[in-house]
Amino acid sequence: MSDGVLPQPGNPIEAVTHVDPYPYYRQLREQRPLYFDEGLKLWVASSHSVIDEAFHNVALRVRPPAEPVPQALLGTAAGEVFAQLVRMTDGEFHAVHKPAVEQAARRWSLADVTRASEAAARDLFAAGPPQGKHGPLGGQRSVGAKFRCLTVNDLMGVLPVQAMARLLGLPDGLLDDSCRWVRQFVQGIAPGASTQAVALAAGAAEALMDQGRALGLSTVQAANRIAFMQQSLDATAGLMGHTVLMLAQYPDLALLADQSPQAMRGFVAEVERHQAPIQNTRRFAADPVVLAGQSIEAGQGVVLVLASANRDGLLNPRPDQFDPQRGERRSMGFGAGAHACPGAAIAIEMVAACIQWMRATSQFDGCFGALAGFWPLANARIPLFASRKEA
Ligand code: HEM
């Protein structure tokens, strides 16, 4: 563009990896808070009120009614796990099993999460600082002792899963393999995964389910135990990456955040609201639905742009201002209604504890270079960093 103005994203999926999607989100919210996107063949909801209504409409489900489990996973162990996840189910199955998942998430105190996060950070940093931008991790290598192979970008994905694996009580000898299996599971269940990725996910699902069963868990419990590590991966990596960026952008606020765990927690919670690592999620109409006065046909999908809702002035005053000390912060970044995230406090604490540990031990400054883009994903906005040399 000759006038130096960046082209806006073409749709909310492109927005996830756009350098600054927030003016576009504002325009959507103000001009067409619910519309049908002909290119995506999906409805798009961007205001707080429409998204909140969608989250509380029981006819809007987390999976397309015709495909409760993705076709490619059917008949595999990964498909069996998928079918048992509260994240991927609705109705009676979800209502019966969600309380146990919430209770499982509540068993850890913030101090437990801090300890597990610091232990993960300490072990990962033990062998030296991370390497440059293009890492070889790719789901194939173990980390921990082989940390010299890890890049700063890999680090952010590995750290929260390693912390969650410690919370779940995995013994040291199983940590690296389990984290690799979680990554393979996540990659294999992603839409459009290759046949090879699906096969790896099936093997990983089997290994992780065997672990759960060996602990005496039922099939549903074992599957949702995997979900704890799976959900720690992309979203928490994104939160960590955005926290790194915001600390660099606001050095005065960073100094305040350094003063106590509570202050750092507030900083990270504001990063989550302001930068929303999960920018959008989806719902599918099981029956014809009326949403914000619009008729949605059975089978049609709706993209709920959580990142836009978080910048809606009706949800928070001064929504574009980054203010770690804001009172009564409200975020839709962890979802709402029946499927609300049970791991919100855990995720914030993990990131706050890891970052505080890295800053206190001076490991932080040497690791992260300039923002080099975002992982090419349709819903999670995860920063990619250049290494220091490339920055
Ligand atoms: C920054 C980190 C995280 C973000 C932004 C995030 C966000 C979300 C969102 C938006 C949902 C709802 C999706 C929907 O309704 O369509 C969700 C569900 C869920 N999250 Fe998280 N999450 C994060 C970390 C975690 C962690 C660490 C755990 C592990 C305890 C976790 C466990 C879950 C589970 C089990 C569900 C499914 C709940 C249900 O469907 O009833 N999340 N998360």
Side-chain angles (χ1 to χ4, degrees), residues 86-87 94 98 231-232 235-236 281 283 333-335 338-339 341-342 347:
V86 292
R87 171 72 186 82
H94 182 265
K98 175 81 182 268
Q231 302 281 347
S232 299
T236 317
T281 190
R283 289 295 184 268
F334 289 108
H339 284 277
C341 176

Side-chain angles (χ1 to χ4, degrees), residues 55 62 85-89 94 98 101-102 104-105 108 160 164 224 227-240 272 276-283 304 306 332-348 350-351:
F55 270 139
V62 289
L85 297 175
V86 292
R87 171 72 186 82
M88 300 300 176
T89 49
H94 182 265
K98 175 81 182 268
V101 171
E102 285 173 321
W108 300 298
M164 180 51 76
N224 284 288
F228 274 28
M229 293 185 276
Q230 169 206 351
Q231 302 281 347
S232 299
L233 190 63
D234 286 354
T236 317
L239 184 56
M240 197 171 297
E272 191 286 320
I278 297 296
Q279 296 258 302
N280 66 64
T281 190
R282 293 190 193 193
R283 289 295 184 268
L304 310 179
L306 308 177
M332 301 205 86
F334 289 108
H339 284 277
C341 176
I346 297 173
I348 287 173
M350 268 183 191
V351 172

